[in-house]
Amino acid sequence: MEYNCFVDCHTHLADPMFSLDIQNVVEKARETGIAAALVCTETPEDIPRVLDLCERFPHMLLPCLGIHPVQKNTEGIERCVTEQDLEQAISEMEKHIDKLCAIGEVGLDFQPRITPDAEHKAAQRAVLQAQVEFAKKHGLPLNVHSRSAGRPTIAALKEFGAKNVLLHAFDGRPSIAMEGVKEGYFFSIPPSIVRSEQKVKLIKQLPIEHILLETDSPALSPVKGERNEPSNVQISCDYIAEVKGLTPQEVKRITTQNALKLFPRLKDFLK
């Protein structure tokens, strides 16, 4: 079956930036042709917000629960994840496993201000490994973050035996991304591609069979500093089409088929 719709494979629609107009944002996304959007968590505190939001819009939003490599302390300052952060979340993740589209957002983030030494890197790897094992146990794909850590993230995923993987907004070199392609991993492209030479180079090398669409809303807008929304997925589609020498309709069709391969629970959303 061929689908004439979009899938936004990575969003944060439970973010407070959408608290006043989420109904309008979802309706605008639907009007753009988005059949489904995956909503990811980052912290244990995000879990009830994401689940509640997906229950409000059950015919379009799907939850992805996971613990991000960057957390915040009680003052709201960013810090490296710990295994205790995952322990806070894992029972909730288990409790709601039948609702989940994927485990995410998980991964590695080796920005020096967050991860200054080998001890912090080891902590992130341990949390990632535990979530890879959790995903394998439940037969779920992974929605993966890899900022400033493209090579070590792909190496870790291979080492941990991860098979069904989406690397979102990948900021590494195309040659590193191709190591992920060899493993069957997918890469999702946000609207910020229009202002990213790195992402254009990435798109040129990635096979279209390994490309998905995302917005990472409210981040990674086509206009720096503006709030991003799922409706901007059309911008990613059009730009990929231009770079790859395809029509936007072809990119729309192929990326949606790719999304269904990686996220089988989408089948009930794509009519």
Side-chain angles (χ1 to χ4, degrees):
M1 181 183 293
E2 294 190 357
Y3 300 98
N4 183 31
C5 59
F6 291 116
V7 177
D8 186 345
C9 292
H10 190 104
T11 77
H12 296 279
L13 291 178
D15 188 277
M17 290 185 72
F18 295 108
S19 59
L20 297 180
D21 64 344
I22 187 62
Q23 182 80 40
N24 291 337
V25 169
V26 171
E27 288 177 2
K28 185 177 177 183
R30 179 71 76 183
E31 290 167 2
T32 306
I34 297 172
L38 279 58
V39 186
C40 299
T41 63
E42 295 183 344
T43 69
E45 293 75 23
D46 288 342
I47 291 175
R49 290 195 288 266
V50 166
L51 291 170
D52 288 348
L53 182 66
C54 292
E55 286 179 8
R56 279 185 64 189
F57 302 98
H59 302 298
M60 186 172 177
L61 304 186
L62 296 91
C64 302
L65 303 187
I67 298 301
H68 192 281
V70 181
Q71 299 290 299
K72 290 184 179 179
N73 64 20
T74 53
E75 287 78 39
I77 298 171
E78 289 185 327
R79 61 168 176 81
C80 185
V81 71
T82 66
E83 291 185 62
Q84 288 71 34
D85 295 315
L86 180 58
E87 288 172 8
Q88 289 181 44
I90 204 76
S91 63
E92 288 299 303
M93 292 165 64
E94 189 89 50
K95 187 189 305 181
H96 299 285
I97 202 72
D98 291 341
K99 300 177 183 178
L100 303 191
C101 189
I103 302 302
E105 180 175 356
V106 306
L108 301 177
D109 191 311
F110 286 175
Q111 297 175 90
R113 67 184 178 85
I114 300 294
T115 314
D117 53 35
E119 182 179 352
H120 288 83
K121 290 180 180 179
Q124 287 192 20
R125 279 176 49 89
V127 171
L128 174 59
Q129 183 172 14
Q131 293 184 99
V132 171
E133 294 301 325
F134 186 85
K136 288 195 292 185
K137 172 185 173 183
H138 293 287
L140 287 169
L142 292 151
N143 212 321
V144 180
H145 172 101
S146 56
R147 184 164 46 199
S148 302
R151 187 189 297 276
T153 300
I154 289 176
L157 291 167
K158 289 166 62 176
E159 178 186 342
F160 302 152
K163 296 300 181 188
N164 300 310
V165 171
L166 172 64
L167 286 144
H168 105 92
F170 188 77
D171 66 1
R173 294 199 300 272
S175 59
I176 297 171
M178 294 306 292
E179 292 299 311
V181 169
K182 290 177 186 176
E183 297 299 313
Y185 300 165
F186 292 85
F187 294 77
S188 55
I189 307 300
S192 59
I193 186 176
V194 300
R195 51 185 176 86
S196 171
E197 183 179 340
Q198 176 267 338
K199 295 230 170 7
V200 172
K201 291 178 179 177
L202 184 65
I203 284 297
K204 286 181 178 178
Q205 287 208 29
L206 285 174
I208 189 65
E209 294 81 14
H210 289 263
I211 294 175
L212 302 179
L213 302 178
E214 68 155 294
T215 59
D216 198 29
S217 301
L220 302 186
S221 168
V223 179
K224 190 173 183 178
E226 286 190 3
R227 185 185 76 168
N228 199 10
E229 297 184 12
S231 58
N232 286 332
V233 78
Q234 179 76 60
I235 294 171
S236 294
C237 178
D238 291 348
Y239 208 87
I240 292 167
E242 182 180 342
V243 172
K244 300 296 274 185
L246 300 168
T247 67
Q249 190 61 34
E250 287 174 312
V251 172
K252 184 179 186 180
R253 174 179 57 80
I254 295 169
T255 55
T256 297
Q257 288 178 331
N258 294 344
L260 187 59
K261 290 176 188 175
L262 181 60
F263 303 112
R265 292 188 178 176
L266 285 171
K267 67 180 182 297
D268 295 332
F269 288 71
L270 308 183
K271 305 298 183 186

